[in-house]
């Protein structure tokens, strides 16, 4: 692919940022309050809009309900539009209520299952009102001890609940089903892997697809192969990008393993699956700044994608056919080792943007302005509002 073709593809890439990445959030050990961090959903949207302004490629923001609940959705819709962005995925929250200790849609008690389902249905309505086309579902459901509950029974409850949810999904909405192999459950998780998620989606129908959160796999998992297989079956809905070294670390995507991110983006580029794939970030920054860490994440995805587009696929195919193992690997390396910074600088210059959006943020006085206006929110109040 020549530079102009790569630039056209890069210009079309849109990355969604999460509202929950802009407030004070952290690990289960401590949340360090950040000066200027967003204190409520209106400010979280302002920060997402700033990231879009500086990167030119983040026109949507994902919401988490009830963290982002407001009384007047149409006012929130106006706020988002006025800032030049739109609402992306709506994430129901099925783990933040006292009743969910033994699960939500899989809970043994039908009244808790009803509560969880009603919450999901409410999110479908919120999505409809805000023009969102994605319901992004993650369940913390699982068990922590063998024998705690009936595994097949839990699966049946899950499928029954999701069928009811799916039946209410309007034509324009997709249900993206996320998996995670452990945590908070430590013995069994009800949707632990891509295979279970895919089976569930198959049972539901074509509007249900799998969401791959890059931090949700055991060490050493070949994520790009999962992506390739899901793509082959039309079951890849999108990503929650982040990076991990040990568990679900929610670190800046591409910070631990940029080669993995490149390999994942290459599967997307090879399948030309960009139009049907939701590229979403799901991170929580604790000891680093909120906004510049998000911008760095966006830049890392763009870098990986640019390199993925540079893979000489026809040469690779012919080397593969010859059975030249190292030769084939070197075709990939050649693209991965290319310095794409000049290309990305051109992309940004064509949009009137700084070549380094993190630097633009740091030089632009945005953090100072936010710190003046917002101060440092106490973590208690951040918890209440998040
Ligand atoms: C869970 O670890 C997860 O990845 C899900 O996507 C949640 O919605 C998100 O993080 C925020 O807690
Ligand atoms: Mn996620």
């Amino acid at each position: 692919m020549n530079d102009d073709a790569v630039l056209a593809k890069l210009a079309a890439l849109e990355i969604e940022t999460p509202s929950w990445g802009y407030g004070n959030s952290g690990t289960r050990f401590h949340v360090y309050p950040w000066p200027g961090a967003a204190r409520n959903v209106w400010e979280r949207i302002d920060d997402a809009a700033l990231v879009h302004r500086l990167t030119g490629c983040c026109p949507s923001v994902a919401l988490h309900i009830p963290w982002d609940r407001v009384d007047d959705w149409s006012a929130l819709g106006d706020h988002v539009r006025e800032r030049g962005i739109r609402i992306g995925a709506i994430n129901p929250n099925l783990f933040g209520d006292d009743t969910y200790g033994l699960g939500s849609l899989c809970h043994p008690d039908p009244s808790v299952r009803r509560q969880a389902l009603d919450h999901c249905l409410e999110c479908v309505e919120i999505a409809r009102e805000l023009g969102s086309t994605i319901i992004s579902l993650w369940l913390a459901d699982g068990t922590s001890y063998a024998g705690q509950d009936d595994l097949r029974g839990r699966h049946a409850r899950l499928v029954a609940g999701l069928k009811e949810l799916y039946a209410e999904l309007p034509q324009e909405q997709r249900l993206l089903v996320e998996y995670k192999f452990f945590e908070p459950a430590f013995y069994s998780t009800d949707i632990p892997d891509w295979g279970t998620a895919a089976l569930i989606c198959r049972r539901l129908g074509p509007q249900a697809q799998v969401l791959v959160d890059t931090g949700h796999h055991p060490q050493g998992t070949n994520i790009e192969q999962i992506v390739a297989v899901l793509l082959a079956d039309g079951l890849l809905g999108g990503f929650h990008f982040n990076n991990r070294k040990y568990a679900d670390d929610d670190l800046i995507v591409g910070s631990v393993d940029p080669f993995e991110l490149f390999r994942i983006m290459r599967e997307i580029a090879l399948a030309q699956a960009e139009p049907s794939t939701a590229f979403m970030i799901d991170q929580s920054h604790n000891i680093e700044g909120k906004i510049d860490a998000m911008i760095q994440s966006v830049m890392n995805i763009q870098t990986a994608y640019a390199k993925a587009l540079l893979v000489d696929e026809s040469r690779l195919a012919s080397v593969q056919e010859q059975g030249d193992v190292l030769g084939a690997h070197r075709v990939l390396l050649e693209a991965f080792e290319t310095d794409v910074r000049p290309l990305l600088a051109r992309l940004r210059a064509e949009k009137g943007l700084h070549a380094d959006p993190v630097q633009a943020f740091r030089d632009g006085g945005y953090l100072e302005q936010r710190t003046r206006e917002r101060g440092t929110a106490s973590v208690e109040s951040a918890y209440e509002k998040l």
Side-chain angles (χ1 to χ4, degrees), residues 235-299:
L235 280 168
L236 182 77
F239 293 97
H240 267 178
F241 283 120
N242 51 63
N243 218 166
R244 58 75 62 95
K245 183 153 175 63
Y246 299 105
D248 187 15
D249 305 339
D250 278 339
L251 299 175
I252 292 173
V253 59
S255 61
V256 179
D257 190 349
F259 189 46
E260 178 185 68
L261 183 58
F262 160 78
R263 298 191 309 265
I264 291 171
M265 291 308 284
R266 190 234 156 200
E267 289 302 329
I268 298 292
L270 180 62
Q272 300 188 13
E274 296 88 338
S276 61
T277 306
F279 300 99
M280 303 179 280
I281 291 174
D282 176 9
Q283 293 174 186
S284 123
H285 309 118
N286 191 19
I287 57 162
E288 63 279 55
K290 312 284 171 196
I291 298 175
D292 45 1
M294 198 63 79
I295 297 173
Q296 184 67 55
S297 309
V298 171
M299 292 171 69

Side-chain angles (χ1 to χ4, degrees), residues 1-3 6 305-313 335 338 340 343:
M1 204 179 285
N2 65 34
D3 279 6
V6 171
Y305 182 50
K307 293 180 178 195
L309 292 168
L310 289 174
V311 174
D312 186 339
E313 294 292 349
T338 306
V340 293
L343 206 60

Side-chain angles (χ1 to χ4, degrees), residues 95-165:
F95 53 88
D97 198 280
D98 291 348
T99 49
Y100 292 148
L102 302 182
S104 61
L105 291 172
C106 306
H107 199 287
D109 179 344
S111 69
V112 177
R113 299 207 291 277
R114 188 69 250 167
Q115 176 195 341
L117 190 57
D118 285 346
H119 173 58
C120 293
L121 294 173
E122 182 202 1
C123 287
V124 169
E125 279 317 305
I126 294 170
R128 203 200 299 264
E129 184 150 358
L130 293 174
S132 154
T133 57
I134 293 181
I135 301 291
S136 170
L137 196 76
W138 176 67
L139 305 180
D141 291 44
T143 67
S144 280
Y145 292 93
Q148 179 189 321
D149 198 357
D150 175 51
L151 297 179
R152 233 166 353 122
R154 292 182 72 88
H155 185 68
R157 290 172 217 150
L158 176 60
V159 172
L162 290 181
K163 277 189 173 166
E164 219 178 310
L165 169 60

Side-chain angles (χ1 to χ4, degrees), residues 20 64 67 91 95 138 178 180 213 216 240 248 282:
W20 56 95
H64 223 296
W67 296 339
N91 292 246
F95 53 88
W138 176 67
E178 187 172 349
K180 174 167 156 172
D213 184 312
H216 287 188
H240 267 178
D248 187 15
D282 176 9

Side-chain angles (χ1 to χ4, degrees), residues 1-8 10 302-303 305-307 309-310 338-350:
M1 204 179 285
N2 65 34
D3 279 6
D4 286 340
V6 171
L7 278 173
L10 276 168
Q302 287 182 309
T303 298
Y305 182 50
K307 293 180 178 195
L309 292 168
L310 289 174
T338 306
D339 181 358
V340 293
R341 283 174 299 182
L343 206 60
L344 289 167
R346 236 183 94 190
L347 170 80
R348 294 180 186 128
E350 280 171 16

